[in-house]
Amino acid sequence: MADWLAALDRGAELRAEAGLTRTLRPRAADDAVVDLAGNDYLGLAAHPAVTAAATEALSRYGLGATGSRLVRGSTDLHHALEDELADWLGVDRALVFSSGYLANLAAVRGLAQPRTLLVSDAHNHASLIDGCRISRAETLVTPHGDVAAVAAALAAAPGRPAVVVTESVFSVDGDLAPLAELHAVARRHGALLLVDDAHALGVTGPAGAGGVAAAGLAGEPDVVVTATLSKALGGAGGVVAGPAEFVRHLVETGRTFIFDTAPPPAVVAGVHAAVRLARAGDAVRAELADRVALAVRRLGAAGLSVSAPDAAVVSVTAPGPEAATAWATACRERGVAVGCFRPPSTPDGRSRLRLTVGAGVDRAAFDRALDVIVECAREVAP
């Protein structure tokens, strides 16, 4: 009976030998670490207007939604948020889920009809990959950002329904997909375009409406957008946005919508307040862009291999998984939290530190954090 546990232990040993052990670290409310690992890009998670809206809703509605959206979980707060999101994104309708992961599973599965071909970027997030898998549709993975490869895949499947699946700003290196070009190719072949805008929403585009809006594709009838509400908006949940007919289809058939408990009303109210702030946050976005440019200059000048980010994700290459872990640990010990990405979380097998730049971090602390990252890099991999 214990053989299966022994097998798990052996798997853990092999991961440890490869430098791939993962550890949970509890964070206290008064944690003083400079946060360059979380996704609170605009500093809205603790904004007074956001917490006040959540607190007021908590006192009115209680802690949880108490049911799925189709049972008792849909409140007037959920519908008001969906209306605001649809207006912001320039689409017919938006549907809120309890996480971005579930939103992506629903979107991919909802678009995959019989004989559908899914053309998926090699650097897509795990939620999109899992969506392709559970859809049971044929999936062709194309090289990262390769429009010609997408065109060839669609051309090789004439007459078949197809969906091009991509992120806008990719979560590992922070680069932007060629959305306008992908849409042109998809439309030429009668395919749909599904874009996960998680790392772009609130950060790029007109009034922060994201990468799809920045590419001039908002409201196009052959484009579906997904995003999380947990990054620039500082809350929790996910959204699928697009044509009203598709949203209706998800309400009636989407398993991760129908059978999942609705997001808590307090979180929904807080996110709604955050959306209003984000839409009016051009000055904050300018500060964020300035910090990203500073990070790229400073780290690059120190001889580190740094990505050319299109939003607020900055990737810094590490020599290997063990070095990445040691580097991130050294930074944390000096009061700076950074992301540590190693295989299999990296689609190209390359380890790196991932810095998610936030405008809510004290500017002096941010400057010092860049120094710490450089100092620790020299100690770990001189």
Side-chain angles (χ1 to χ4, degrees):
M1 288 293 292
D3 288 351
W4 72 282
L5 297 176
L8 295 181
D9 281 340
R10 180 53 181 159
E13 291 172 2
L14 293 173
R15 288 192 296 273
E17 291 171 4
L20 301 179
T21 297
R22 300 173 188 271
T23 305
L24 289 171
R25 296 184 178 88
R27 174 171 63 88
D30 59 352
D31 182 19
V33 169
V34 179
D35 187 5
L36 298 185
N39 298 311
D40 188 16
Y41 295 128
L42 303 181
L44 296 179
H47 191 286
V50 172
T51 56
T55 300
E56 196 272 338
L58 181 65
S59 68
R60 292 177 56 214
Y61 291 87
L63 180 61
T66 75
S68 67
R69 292 289 307 276
L70 288 169
V71 180
R72 286 285 292 170
S74 278
T75 68
D76 51 352
L77 298 178
H78 292 79
H79 289 262
L81 174 59
E82 288 169 343
D83 289 345
E84 180 95 25
L85 287 168
D87 182 68
W88 189 23
L89 298 175
V91 298
D92 291 345
R93 285 188 62 189
L95 189 65
V96 167
F97 289 72
S98 61
S99 76
Y101 208 110
L102 295 182
N104 273 345
L105 296 184
V108 178
R109 190 172 185 273
L111 290 172
Q113 305 304 314
R115 297 183 61 248
T116 295
L117 173 67
L118 301 175
V119 182
S120 179
D121 189 283
H123 285 201
N124 275 344
H125 188 267
S127 56
L128 293 174
I129 294 170
D130 286 352
C132 292
R133 289 172 177 169
I134 69 169
S135 75
R136 299 182 180 178
E138 180 184 354
T139 301
L140 179 63
V141 178
T142 52
H144 178 51
D146 192 333
V147 177
V150 171
L154 295 175
R160 287 183 62 181
V163 183
V164 177
V165 183
T166 184
E167 296 181 55
S168 55
V169 172
F170 286 88
S171 58
V172 176
D173 280 335
D175 55 316
L176 180 65
L179 296 179
E181 293 86 348
L182 288 173
H183 178 253
V185 165
R187 177 166 286 185
R188 186 162 66 245
H189 292 278
L192 303 176
L193 177 64
L194 172 62
V195 182
D196 179 354
D197 230 354
H199 287 276
L201 186 65
V203 178
T204 65
V212 172
L217 303 178
E220 290 292 339
D222 49 1
V223 176
V224 172
V225 183
T226 66
T228 65
L229 310 177
S230 58
K231 294 180 171 55
L233 298 177
V239 61
V240 178
E245 296 85 351
F246 182 60
V247 171
R248 180 186 62 201
H249 176 69
L250 293 184
V251 170
E252 296 178 354
T253 69
R255 293 172 67 85
T256 60
F257 177 81
I258 296 170
F259 298 104
D260 186 49
T261 298
V267 172
V268 170
V271 168
H272 197 167
V275 171
R276 294 192 183 107
L277 291 167
R279 296 183 76 169
D282 286 346
V284 180
R285 276 183 285 277
E287 170 65 18
L288 184 60
D290 182 67
R291 293 186 183 200
V292 170
L294 174 64
V296 171
R297 287 197 307 272
R298 291 265 294 277
L299 299 177
L304 300 175
S305 177
V306 187
S307 64
D310 290 297
V313 175
V314 179
S315 173
V316 191
T317 301
E322 296 89 350
T325 302
W327 190 0
T329 300
C331 289
R332 179 175 291 274
E333 290 172 349
R334 297 191 189 184
V336 178
V338 296
C340 179
F341 277 37
R342 300 157 291 164
S345 296
T346 56
D348 55 6
R350 185 164 53 92
S351 297
R352 68 263 275 169
L353 295 193
R354 190 187 76 167
L355 317 181
T356 44
V357 180
V361 174
D362 176 78
R363 183 60 185 253
F366 176 73
D367 289 343
R368 174 57 187 156
L370 297 178
D371 292 335
V372 168
I373 292 168
V374 171
E375 292 165 4
C376 292
R378 290 169 179 163
E379 295 171 5
V380 171

